[in-house]
Amino acid sequence: MRAPKRLIPIVAAEGDILSREESQALIERVVKMSSADSISVNVSSGITNNIRFAANQVSTAGSIADANVAVTSSFGPKRATVVTNNLTDEALRAAVKQSEALARLSPDDPEAMPNLGPQNIRTVNADFASTESLDAASLAQAALTALEPARKAGDLTAAGYLVVNTSTSALGNSSKLFAYHKSTNANYTLTVRTTDGTGSGWAGAEAPDWKQLDVNAVSARAIEKARLSRNPVAIEPGRYTAILEPQAVGDLVQLIGSYADARSADEGRSPFSKQGGGNRIGEKIVDPRISIIADPFDPMVLSQPWDGDGLPIGRQVFVDKGVLKELYYSRFWAKKMGKQATGAPTSFIMTGGTTSLDDMIKSTQRGILVTRLWYLREVDPRTILYTGLTRDGTFLIENGKISRAIKNFRFNDSPLFMLNNLEAIGQVVRLAGTEAGGAVVVPPIKVRDFNFTSLSDAV
């Protein structure tokens, strides 16, 4: 197979990816154009290359290069933002003037905070030459790890998306704050279906460094799942011992991070609110083998180390050995409550264990193996109770072995309930993405009494 014909150059043109110096110079240029009380400028740039395939054929191969400037002007508690991707002086000046005009028309924001001054923001080394230099031919070769075996088999249909990007983000303001972050990322997801319409398998992987992405393993796993999931049978819904692969764990457990906001807890709107007032910091909330942290410097994460205001984000420990250790504070809420602002986390890391997936299966007399979840919807925010569906490979385990494929289930369960019914934990992996987004690192787990509530005919 030859590389897809390119309609536009796939290598970054000069100026597509802004260096630290270029970003800082651009921000300073925009700040000088301002006549507002204060101004904040976000600059992003990058190039994204991708290849998409379906029905065992490459459908598109694309490259997107862009740079954006978001200008936020403030007059006291009034503010407005205008975005442009035209970096000429004329366009930038127009964006500044428009944001000032809109800010004057805006209602007062009672929670507006002044711009931050210079911050001590550590650098995260998140860009890898192996990813940045990847060309279209390499992406096409990677796609062949799924396309060739699927075509050869004759009874499989593969559909996948492989995307790599190099991006930068920078933030500066009229109070002399400046922050810059450059990163690379490679993401591969694949769905393989059997041509009889009864089997579906999925696998995915993501890493900042292309060398860490094992595309052969992803393709082989999705193909194996598709074959194993053919001709599923229905079994009774109910509470089962469940082994959840990392993708299923991440989709559900990551939700805990969304509720770790101190304000919602203090105001009584959270699972971490204490009855009668206050929050549950210091209380045991899950199994003592579980710790949950956020850390932009973790080698498996390597994310932007500041939030939208430019507040540095360090390592945050939300759950330490099963105990709720801290919640995150916005600048506004921290000032109101006399606390230190932490900023919202941009990553989610759940500590792992040593039990392999095979050993979890071998130790299970009767249970269900779940590949991944989808269509998650909130049922009760006070307990993080969610409903959703299993997908792309759900299997019955009997006497320590996968005995058959079973039809998908709808479930009703909470990550807090689940992590209190923990039996075993495996090694952590970085996920290829979740419904909530962000960098997510979690292990596979085995739990008891997972609540499967009804059957689904969806494949």
Side-chain angles (χ1 to χ4, degrees), residues 20 79 97 106 128 225 264 279 282 301 322 337 428 457:
R20 180 185 184 89
R79 61 185 176 189
K97 295 304 177 189
S106 300
F128 292 83
K225 289 270 187 184
S264 62
N279 59 52
V301 174
M337 302 301 289
V428 297
D457 285 329

Side-chain angles (χ1 to χ4, degrees), residues 259-299:
Y259 292 84
D261 167 47
R263 181 176 187 172
S264 62
D266 293 342
E267 292 181 339
R269 299 181 284 111
S270 158
F272 306 127
S273 302
K274 181 178 287 186
Q275 195 167 10
N279 59 52
R280 298 177 59 193
I281 289 178
E283 292 185 15
K284 175 185 174 299
I285 60 168
V286 292
D287 187 283
R289 286 170 288 180
I290 298 296
S291 292
I292 294 172
I293 67 173
D295 187 356
F297 299 92
D298 186 281

Side-chain angles (χ1 to χ4, degrees), residues 65-111:
D66 200 4
N68 286 283
V69 176
V71 179
T72 301
S73 296
S74 299
F75 294 94
K78 299 175 180 291
R79 61 185 176 189
T81 301
V82 169
V83 181
T84 179
N85 65 352
N86 185 336
L87 307 190
T88 64
D89 277 354
E90 182 182 10
L92 293 171
R93 191 169 288 108
V96 171
K97 295 304 177 189
Q98 189 177 11
S99 69
E100 291 176 354
L102 292 171
R104 288 191 177 95
L105 294 172
S106 300
D108 289 358
D109 178 356
E111 299 183 4

Side-chain angles (χ1 to χ4, degrees), residues 124 181 206 254 257 293-298 300-308 311-316 318 328 342-349 430 434 436-441:
V124 174
H181 177 66
E206 179 177 279
Q254 185 196 10
I293 67 173
D295 187 356
F297 299 92
D298 186 281
M300 296 184 74
V301 174
L302 301 179
S303 62
Q304 180 176 294
W306 74 86
D307 71 359
L311 188 70
I313 296 176
R315 188 173 190 269
Q316 298 166 278
F318 297 107
Y328 62 84
T342 63
T346 57
S347 60
F348 184 97
I349 304 170
R430 176 165 169 162
T434 64
V440 180
V441 177

